[in-house]
Amino acid sequence: MTRANWSYPTAIRFGEGRISEIGEACAAAGLKRPLLVTDRGLAALPIVAKTLGLMREAGLGEAIFSQVDSNPTEKNLAAGLEAYKAGGHDGVVAFGGGSGLDLGKAVAFMSGQTRPLWDFEDVGDWWTRADPAGIAPIVAVPTTAGTGSEVGRASLITDTVTEMKKIIFHPKMLPTVVIADPGLTRDLPPNLTAWTGMDAFAHCLEAYCSPFFHPMSQGIALEGLRIVRDYLPRAVKDGGDMEARAQMLAAGAMGAVAFQKGLGAIHAISHPVGAIYNTHHGATNAAAMAAVLRFNRPAVEGRLAQAAAYLGISGGFDGFYEAALKLRDEVGAPRNLTELRVPQDRLEELTAKALEDPSVGGNPVAMTPENTRKLIEDCFI
C-alpha cells in the first residue's frame, strides 16, 4: 500500500512502518513528556514495547498506563488521571483499539478540567463548559480497524453507577496527529479482526441510512461499505494480508468520519447491552444488525437499493440485506444477542436506555417504547 499523509479531518500519517515516526508525531503535537495510554491486553505485547522503545530513543520517556477495561469506565479514567498528574505529563499517546483510544483521549481532555466528567456529556452545548486550555494534546495510534476513534472528537465512557455508556465530546478532543500503521494490526486475532471490522461496517451502514443531510459523510459511508465488504474477509482469513489490513484501517477511520451524519438503532441497542453485560462493541453491533435492517426497511429500502447497485449486488434491498448477513457469517461474527449469551432478564431496562441513547435521533424509523422493545426482542432471534 502507498504511504500517504492526509489532513482529513486531522493530520494522519498512513502506511506500514510509520510507527517509527512516533517521535516526530509527538514533536508536531508539542509533546515532550507524554503518557502512553493503552488497554491491559495490549500492554504486554511487542508492539507496545517497540513503541515505548521508540519514545525513549526520541527523549520522550516510556511512561505507560494500561488499567483500561474493554469498555472503559469513569474508574479507569480516575486512575489514568492520577498517573498522568503524578508523572507530570504534558499530553497523551492514545494507543490501541477503541478502549485505549477513548480512555487516552478522555485523560487528555480531563487533565486540566475542574468540573466532573459527566458535566461534559454530549448533550446540547455542554461541551462549552470545558476549559479549552485544560485539554492536553493527543497523538493517536490505532491498532484495530473499527471504531475510528483516532479521528473522532469524543470518548465513550461507561458510567458504572447508571450502567450507561456516555459520550464525552469536545472539538479539541480530536487528536493532533494520527499514526495509522497497518502493521500494528497484523497480529490482531481473527475474532477481534471480525468484530472490529463489523463495527466499521455498522458505522458506515448507519451513517448512510441516517436521514440527516450530510452529502460528504454519505459518500464516505458508501465507499466504506464497499471496502469492508471486499477486504474484511481477507483480513480475517489471513492476518498477514497487508493490503487488506491497510484497507480496513482506512475503512475504520472512514466510518468514524461518516457517522458525523448520525448513527441509529444498532448503536442505540449495543451501547446499553455493552454497558450492562460488558459485551464487545463490534460483536454487539453485528448481533443487532439483521433485526435493525428489517426494522428500518420501510424508510431505507430505496436508499439501500442504491447502495446495492454501487456494490455490484443485485436484488435491491433484499440483495443488500443478504450480502450484509453473508459478510457477518463469513467472518464469524455473532448473528444475534443469544449467540453473545446476553440474557433476556432486563428487556424493559434495555428499552429505556436505548431510547435515552443519542444514537436514537439518527435512526430512519422513529423509535418508541413499543417498537424498541419489540426490536430488542428480535435481536435475540
Side-chain angles (χ1 to χ4, degrees):
M1 289 296 295
T2 302
R3 290 156 65 98
N5 294 325
W6 301 329
S7 294
Y8 191 81
T10 187
I12 301 173
R13 301 177 181 220
F14 187 95
E16 188 174 3
R18 301 201 70 173
I19 190 60
S20 63
E21 300 172 25
I22 186 68
E24 298 172 28
C26 287
L31 301 183
K32 296 181 179 180
R33 291 181 52 82
L35 175 66
L36 187 146
V37 177
T38 191
D39 65 70
R40 292 182 175 90
L42 275 176
L45 296 184
I47 56 174
V48 172
K50 176 182 178 179
T51 302
L52 289 172
L54 290 167
M55 290 170 59
R56 182 181 63 251
E57 292 171 8
L60 299 169
E62 49 186 337
I64 181 172
F65 173 79
S66 61
Q67 297 174 39
V68 182
D69 297 326
S70 57
N71 289 296
T73 69
E74 84 281 9
K75 296 178 182 178
N76 298 153
L77 177 59
L81 285 169
E82 183 177 352
Y84 182 93
K85 292 175 180 178
H89 299 292
D90 60 0
V92 167
V93 174
F95 189 101
S99 55
L101 295 175
D102 277 8
L103 202 283
K105 288 160 61 181
V107 167
F109 171 71
M110 288 297 294
S111 63
Q113 305 305 319
T114 57
R115 299 179 68 142
L117 175 68
W118 307 130
D119 279 7
F120 308 113
E121 190 178 352
D122 189 17
V123 176
D125 64 353
W126 286 14
W127 65 272
T128 61
R129 298 170 171 176
D131 176 7
I135 304 173
I138 304 160
V139 171
V141 185
T143 62
T144 66
T147 71
S149 183
E150 67 272 14
V151 294
R153 300 166 297 167
S155 289
L156 196 63
I157 306 294
T158 298
D159 183 338
T160 59
V161 176
T162 63
E163 293 184 308
M164 291 186 68
K165 288 190 175 184
K166 297 181 178 179
I167 298 171
I168 308 302
F169 167 84
H170 194 282
K172 285 193 69 175
M173 288 179 74
L174 181 69
T176 303
V177 183
V178 174
I179 294 181
D181 183 341
L184 299 180
T185 71
R186 183 192 304 269
D187 296 324
L188 194 68
N191 65 325
L192 291 178
T193 300
W195 296 348
T196 54
M198 289 304 294
D199 189 22
F201 191 81
H203 290 160
C204 292
L205 174 61
E206 294 212 286
Y208 182 76
C209 291
S210 166
F212 301 124
F213 180 73
H214 198 319
M216 292 179 288
S217 287
Q218 185 86 352
I220 292 169
L222 184 59
E223 176 64 0
L225 289 171
R226 184 196 67 80
I227 291 174
V228 178
R229 193 276 308 266
D230 289 352
Y231 289 98
L232 180 57
R234 285 175 49 176
V236 171
K237 183 178 180 180
D238 177 10
D241 183 341
M242 293 313 298
E243 180 186 10
R245 289 294 195 187
Q247 291 280 358
M248 284 303 304
L249 194 58
M254 290 167 70
V257 172
F259 72 59
Q260 293 184 49
K261 183 172 178 280
L263 291 171
I266 292 175
H267 280 78
I269 292 169
S270 70
H271 286 158
V273 169
I276 294 172
Y277 298 108
N278 200 33
T279 56
H280 186 279
H281 177 63
T284 314
N285 283 344
M289 188 172 294
V292 172
L293 278 169
R294 295 192 299 269
F295 177 81
N296 284 333
R297 179 171 187 157
V300 301
E301 189 164 4
R303 181 167 291 185
L304 285 181
Q306 293 176 337
Y310 179 78
L311 296 172
I313 299 167
S314 61
F317 175 90
D318 289 329
F320 183 93
Y321 177 82
E322 293 300 328
L325 270 56
K326 178 183 177 183
L327 173 67
R328 179 201 65 192
D329 294 346
E330 185 176 359
V331 301
R335 294 174 294 177
N336 50 51
L337 294 180
T338 301
E339 287 193 3
L340 272 183
R341 300 180 180 177
V342 174
Q344 298 189 48
D345 59 338
R346 299 169 71 173
L347 291 180
E348 293 296 336
E349 183 179 359
L350 285 175
T351 300
K353 289 183 174 180
L355 290 168
E356 291 182 45
D357 192 271
S359 302
V360 162
N363 199 65
V365 171
M367 297 177 69
T368 67
E370 293 74 23
N371 67 17
T372 301
R373 166 66 185 257
K374 178 62 167 60
L375 173 57
I376 294 174
E377 290 176 346
D378 288 347
C379 289
F380 285 90
I381 301 172

